[in-house]
């Protein structure tokens, strides 16, 4: 009898403790938008409504910037043949931010590369390898600095023959907007997976950092080779493995070098950017994939105001990380002999 009572007290204490540390239940929403599956997860009061609003925002943004929907701003721009086009309130600030980042990256990011992206078939899946003459013509039409914008009327003019696509920055932009919206709705713990773009809000419900995996570009199974621990940050990866086709034994991926209009071959297999601003991270993930290890290092040193760190996985399997991630970065346990170089300011 006495033993039963002691056991009952013990059980009550145990249950009370479990009650104290019980995590709030996550609210989750799956969304298909911007050509990718997205998973939105948030915790706490207001999470369900905030995620419903987030889904609404993603749909509105996609309708504005899709290059395949005929009535989007981007379709209007790409068909305007040199005439000015007034774009929506959703598109205009994203377009301005993207143009500014094209400048910061010295044109490694160039949102006017769309005619080339289309010519390779990355929009339709009807893949082909354009011949050198066609590539030279396509490359000549890539130049973000020729885009004219007029802020008061939200008017954008592309030279005739040029086409634009915000795909390299849009998911990061969406993550940044949703971060602000969720914070405003009082959500202090959320993780948004927007197809290769992770946006975290606050920390995990228990106060510990989010651990975001970095995929091994050489793995067919999508295995992770490392993770970064972050709070309130975006973690954005660009990799050749995300979209590609093979022809005659050669792999052609969807990230193009604006100088050649052909897939960028810089020796980088994937570029992951970590920073507080999702738009910057997304833009730089694409740009660093184009720039390669040396160019990435230079950009990181020259632009402290962009406030980012990176993880580059090179084609030989080695890894470069910048100083700011030294403590946040962990190799997967079965991969601890991989070569990791820390890039520092000195
Ligand atoms: P991300 O996955 O963010 O690296 O974006 C890649 C997408 O951006 C591609 O699927 C193309 O639509 C487009 N793109 C490819 N190369 C570039 C480039 N150098 N600059 C800007 N956009 C690009
Ligand atoms: Mg990007």
């Amino acid at each position: 009898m006495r033993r039963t009572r002691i056991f009952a007290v013990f059980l009550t204490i145990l249950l009370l403790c479990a009650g104290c540390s019980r995590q709030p239940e996550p609210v989750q929403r799956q969304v298909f938008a911007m050509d990718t599956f997205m998973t939105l997860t948030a915790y706490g009061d207001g999470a369900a409504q905030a995620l419903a609003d987030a889904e609404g925002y993603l749909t509105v943004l996609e309708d504005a910037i899709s290059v395949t929907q005929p009535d989007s701003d981007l379709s209007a721009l790409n068909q305007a043949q040199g005439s000015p086009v007034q774009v929506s309130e959703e598109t205009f600030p994203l377009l301005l931010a993207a143009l500014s980042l094209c400048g910061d990256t010295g044109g490694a990011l160039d949102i006017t590369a769309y005619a080339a992206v289309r010519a390779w078939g990355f929009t339709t899946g009807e893949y082909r390898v354009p011949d050198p003459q066609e590539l030279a013509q396509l490359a000549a039409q890539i130049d973000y600095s020729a885009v004219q914008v007029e802020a008061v009327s939200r008017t954008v003019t592309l030279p005739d023959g040029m086409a634009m696509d915000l795909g390299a920055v849009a998911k990061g932009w969406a993550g940044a907007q949703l971060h602000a919206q969720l914070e405003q709705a009082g959500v202090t713990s959320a993780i948004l997976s927007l197809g290769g773009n992770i946006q975290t809000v606050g920390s995990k419900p228990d106060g510990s950092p989010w651990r975001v995996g970095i995929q091994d570009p050489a793995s067919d199974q999508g295995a992770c080779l490392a993770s970064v621990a972050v709070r309130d940050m975006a973690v954005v990866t660009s990799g050749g493995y995300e979209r590609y086709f093979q022809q005659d034994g050669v792999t052609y991926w969807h990230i193009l070098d604006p100088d050649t209009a052909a897939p960028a071959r810089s020796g980088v297999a994937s570029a992951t950017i970590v920073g507080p601003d999702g738009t910057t991270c997304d833009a730089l993930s694409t740009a660093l994939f184009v720039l390669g290890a040396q160019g990435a290092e230079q950009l990181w040193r020259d632009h402290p105001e962009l406030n980012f760190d990176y993880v580059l996985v090179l084609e030989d399997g080695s890894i470069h990380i910048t100083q700011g991630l030294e403590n946040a970065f962990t190799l997967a346990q079965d991969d601890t002999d991989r070569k990791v170089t820390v890039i520092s300011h000195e």
Side-chain angles (χ1 to χ4, degrees):
M1 183 65 196
R2 194 178 138 80
R3 235 190 231 169
T4 319
R5 200 173 304 145
I6 290 172
F7 179 71
V9 170
F10 179 69
L11 197 72
T12 312
I13 291 170
L14 210 72
L15 286 174
L16 278 175
C17 288
C20 297
S21 65
R22 197 180 324 131
Q23 302 298 324
E25 287 296 313
V27 179
Q28 207 163 63
R29 262 185 119 88
Q30 312 276 347
V31 183
F32 187 81
M34 301 184 191
D35 214 17
T36 191
F37 285 101
M38 302 182 171
T39 305
L40 318 178
T41 310
Y43 296 81
D45 293 342
Q49 186 56 47
L51 292 192
D53 294 346
E55 180 168 352
Y57 170 74
L58 288 167
T59 310
V60 169
L61 182 64
E62 172 168 33
D63 289 349
I65 61 157
S66 163
V67 282
T68 51
Q69 289 184 31
D71 52 353
S72 72
D73 284 335
L74 268 279
S75 291
L77 263 174
N78 290 341
Q79 286 158 16
Q81 299 179 321
S83 309
V85 171
Q86 190 186 44
V87 301
S88 66
E89 282 173 2
E90 276 71 39
T91 302
F92 194 69
L94 162 54
L95 198 147
L96 284 188
L99 283 174
S100 163
L101 284 154
C102 290
D104 292 332
T105 64
L109 174 82
D110 195 318
I111 56 172
T112 65
Y114 186 56
V117 172
R118 202 169 41 192
W120 282 90
F122 286 112
T123 312
T124 55
E126 288 165 27
Y127 299 121
R128 57 187 276 275
V129 179
D131 66 33
Q133 199 190 341
E134 187 180 350
L135 285 179
Q137 280 167 2
L138 288 164
Q141 282 173 329
I142 303 175
D143 180 9
Y144 71 91
S145 69
V147 179
Q148 291 174 33
V149 291
E150 212 283 294
V152 177
S153 57
R154 291 199 311 269
T155 308
V156 183
T157 313
L158 299 185
D160 192 12
M162 183 181 274
M164 181 188 280
D165 152 32
L166 298 169
V169 285
K171 286 180 235 144
W173 170 268
Q177 305 310 303
L178 294 182
H179 178 270
Q181 286 177 22
L182 288 170
E183 268 195 336
Q184 203 158 26
V187 173
T188 55
S189 180
I191 184 158
L192 314 175
S193 171
L194 313 174
N197 284 238
I198 306 292
Q199 175 70 57
T200 63
V201 177
S203 48
K204 283 196 197 169
D206 66 3
S208 64
W210 299 103
R211 277 211 164 272
V212 179
I214 297 175
Q215 199 172 320
D216 180 353
S219 160
D220 301 336
Q221 270 86 51
C224 280
L225 59 71
S227 64
V228 285
V230 294
R231 287 186 169 88
D232 247 336
M233 294 268 177
V235 181
V236 180
T237 300
S238 288
Y241 62 87
E242 290 179 315
R243 190 171 300 179
Y244 64 89
F245 68 98
Q246 286 168 319
Q247 191 173 303
D248 301 328
V250 183
T251 305
Y252 300 95
W253 44 75
H254 66 130
I255 302 173
L256 306 184
D257 181 340
D259 286 343
T260 62
R265 299 200 188 276
S266 65
V268 171
S270 77
T272 298
I273 314 295
V274 182
D277 179 53
T279 315
T280 304
C281 292
D282 199 359
L284 296 183
S285 72
T286 311
L288 265 55
F289 187 92
V290 174
L291 287 169
Q294 267 196 344
E297 193 175 327
Q298 199 62 49
L299 188 77
W300 182 73
R301 289 186 197 289
D302 291 350
H303 288 278
E305 82 289 355
L306 292 176
N307 202 1
F308 71 103
D309 279 287
Y310 65 75
V311 179
L312 294 186
V313 183
L314 305 186
E315 280 177 340
D316 67 7
S318 63
I319 296 178
H320 288 191
I321 67 170
T322 47
Q323 209 174 8
L325 290 177
E326 218 177 341
N327 295 326
F329 178 87
T330 314
L331 273 179
Q333 264 165 2
D334 55 353
D335 214 350
T336 38
D337 54 352
R338 201 181 270 267
K339 185 170 174 238
V340 179
T341 306
V342 179
I343 310 293
S344 61
H345 281 294
E346 292 84 53

